[in-house]
Amino acid sequence: MDRNLFTADHDRYREVVREFVIREVAPNLERWDRDRLIDRPVWLAAGKQGLIGLSIPEADGGGGQPDYRYQVVLIEELARAGAASLISSFSLQDNIVAPYVQELGTAEQKRRWLPGMAAGELIGAIAMSEPGAGSDLQGVRTTARRDGEHWVVNGQKTFITSGVNADFVIVVARTDPDAGSRGFSLIVVETGTPGFTRGRKLDKIGLHAQDTAELFFDNVRVPAANLLGEEGRGFVQLMERLPLERLSIATAALAGAEAVFAETRRYCFERTAFGKPIGDFQNTRFQLAEMSTELDVTRAYHDQAVRALNDGTLSAVDAAKAKWWATELQKRVIDRCLQLHGGYGYMLEYPVAKAFLDSRIQTIYGGTTEIMKEIIGRDLARTAG
């Protein structure tokens, strides 16, 4: 089936991305995994090449190109190289943190953070999850108390993507403990602020190169000017921006599954057993046929969601559908591909093994599969009859 999502401009951009991956990414993947950290040079190289900060307005140092299809191209090419950790890091920067600053920030905040983000000189993070609050953000206990011209932040965050590398963190905090969902605000805490410390770099099952950390706030005094958006509207501001975050996870899931499937398809017609390629056995062919069909069908829905995002019509419900379906598909496809590799699939030198580990988080972060189904189910109940 032909894919008509992209134009000639996207195809030319893909060539630029491929060259970047060959030069800056592929030679460093093993070292990043070994070091449990993606170092700064690739961020600077991506900024110089215009591969990050593409949606940031030109006036703020970015590419001024909000078309999400360019992000799809970048994610697909990184997935082809097996760079899942870098996808996570770049997607956080461009599809989560930058939009918050761009859409909610004051003129001064935009000048302070966006040019550095577009250049790869500043790395941002967002701190939602806590030891006792994951998908249920209303369980957040971190507080920010106004004291004159400052906010005083106290609390703890965990599972924070880019938590080690981040130069600033958007912290979800309670600013009014008696206001329920209207008592949350977003406060930006910058590296070096007294009382702001990082805990462990967490040791994960997969995404080893992607730095994930615990963060601690002990009477951290933050200038009042670091409030992002409106006081008390933090929860609403989070909900309004979740469709893009969830679609970006779906994009990574689909791209990752397609990359592993392509490699497995080649393997099945190169690997022989009982005197012929294993791809010539009916069971293998049926497995490949089923996965190919599921990927094609999922791609059609994903591409429709991309168009809706570009048009400003992607709903939270449709984004939830894309997120849970694509991530569960990724998990399922990679598991089946590993099985087709036999014993070699269990060896980390084969891409399918690393993909098996890296993909497991996809159905959890950004809202679990169960939360996605709850969002969809509530909408069905609300519109019943």
Side-chain angles (χ1 to χ4, degrees):
M1 182 181 295
D2 291 333
R3 189 179 190 187
N4 60 1
L5 180 66
F6 303 112
T7 68
D9 286 341
H10 300 107
D11 294 337
R12 285 190 288 270
Y13 181 72
R14 189 180 296 276
E15 292 303 316
V16 173
V17 175
R18 284 181 178 173
E19 194 277 333
F20 171 82
V21 170
I22 292 170
R23 186 183 70 249
E24 302 289 348
V25 177
N28 295 308
L29 287 174
E30 290 187 9
R31 179 174 59 83
W32 290 339
D33 275 348
R34 189 169 59 249
D35 293 346
R36 296 297 199 264
L37 193 70
I38 297 168
D39 50 20
R40 293 277 179 153
V42 73
W43 287 88
L44 297 172
K48 186 175 181 180
Q49 198 75 47
L51 302 186
I52 55 176
L54 195 64
S55 65
I56 293 174
E58 291 183 19
D60 294 314
Q65 179 50 267
D67 183 352
Y68 179 72
R69 290 176 292 180
Y70 288 99
Q71 286 292 321
V72 176
V73 170
L74 177 63
I75 290 170
E76 287 180 350
E77 293 305 314
L78 290 174
R80 190 191 302 268
S85 292
L86 192 59
I87 291 174
S88 177
S89 298
F90 279 2
S91 289
L92 172 70
Q93 180 93 334
D94 275 0
N95 298 318
I96 302 177
V97 180
Y100 275 86
V101 178
Q102 184 177 323
E103 296 167 15
L104 300 174
T106 63
E108 188 277 331
Q109 289 172 336
K110 293 176 184 179
R111 286 194 301 270
R112 198 187 335 168
W113 296 313
L114 288 179
M117 294 182 74
E121 297 167 356
L122 291 180
I123 298 174
I126 186 163
M128 302 185 199
S129 297
E130 298 183 1
S135 294
D136 179 15
L137 292 177
Q138 297 210 45
V140 165
R141 298 178 64 184
T142 296
T143 61
R145 175 179 54 83
R146 187 67 182 261
D147 182 19
E149 293 304 309
H150 290 83
W151 291 98
V152 181
V153 182
N154 282 282
Q156 177 182 353
K157 300 290 183 177
T158 193
F159 308 144
I160 306 307
T161 302
S162 293
V164 174
N165 267 335
D167 297 290
F168 67 92
V169 181
I170 300 172
V171 179
V172 180
R174 284 187 179 273
T175 49
D176 185 343
D178 301 318
S181 63
R182 293 182 295 277
F184 296 96
S185 301
L186 307 181
I187 310 289
V188 179
V189 179
E190 295 171 281
T191 293
T193 305
F196 171 37
T197 57
R198 293 168 168 85
R200 297 178 297 147
K201 180 168 60 175
L202 300 173
D203 194 12
K204 309 184 297 294
I205 289 175
L207 294 180
H208 291 151
Q210 202 289 311
D211 58 305
T212 306
E214 298 174 316
L215 306 178
F216 299 93
F217 307 90
D218 183 10
N219 288 320
V220 178
R221 294 183 67 83
V222 178
N226 278 27
L227 174 71
L228 189 63
E230 297 180 39
E231 181 180 347
R233 285 185 53 82
F235 192 76
V236 173
Q237 291 163 173
L238 291 171
M239 295 304 105
E240 289 173 344
R241 283 152 191 85
L242 283 175
L244 173 57
E245 175 183 353
R246 287 168 177 163
L247 180 59
S248 71
I249 295 172
T251 300
L254 178 58
E258 288 180 328
V260 170
F261 175 76
E263 188 276 329
T264 301
R265 179 185 175 185
R266 287 192 297 270
Y267 177 85
C268 287
F269 292 98
E270 294 170 356
R271 173 73 172 168
T272 60
F274 303 103
K276 61 181 180 180
I278 63 173
D280 285 344
F281 291 99
Q282 186 186 66
N283 178 70
T284 304
R285 289 194 174 189
F286 280 11
Q287 293 277 347
L288 293 174
E290 290 172 9
M291 288 188 284
S292 178
T293 302
E294 288 185 88
L295 289 167
D296 281 353
V297 172
T298 303
R299 188 185 305 116
Y301 186 88
H302 167 270
D303 290 0
Q304 177 180 311
V306 169
R307 293 187 183 94
L309 179 72
N310 276 350
D311 293 341
T313 59
L314 181 65
S315 69
V317 172
D318 287 342
K321 290 177 180 178
K323 196 273 179 185
W324 90 258
W325 179 263
T327 56
E328 292 289 348
L329 173 71
Q330 179 187 22
K331 193 168 64 173
R332 185 167 65 250
V333 165
I334 292 176
D335 184 68
R336 294 172 78 177
C337 286
L338 190 153
Q339 184 73 18
L340 289 174
H341 277 76
Y344 288 107
Y346 203 64
M347 301 296 110
L348 282 173
E349 64 189 270
Y350 279 75
V352 68
K354 185 172 181 296
F356 181 80
L357 298 176
D358 287 342
S359 64
R360 188 58 187 88
I361 188 61
Q362 292 276 72
T363 60
I364 298 173
Y365 64 9
T368 64
T369 292
E370 293 74 19
I371 293 295
M372 298 302 98
K373 291 179 180 179
E374 180 66 17
I375 291 170
I376 298 162
R378 285 180 182 176
D379 183 69
L380 291 172
R382 181 181 62 82
T383 58

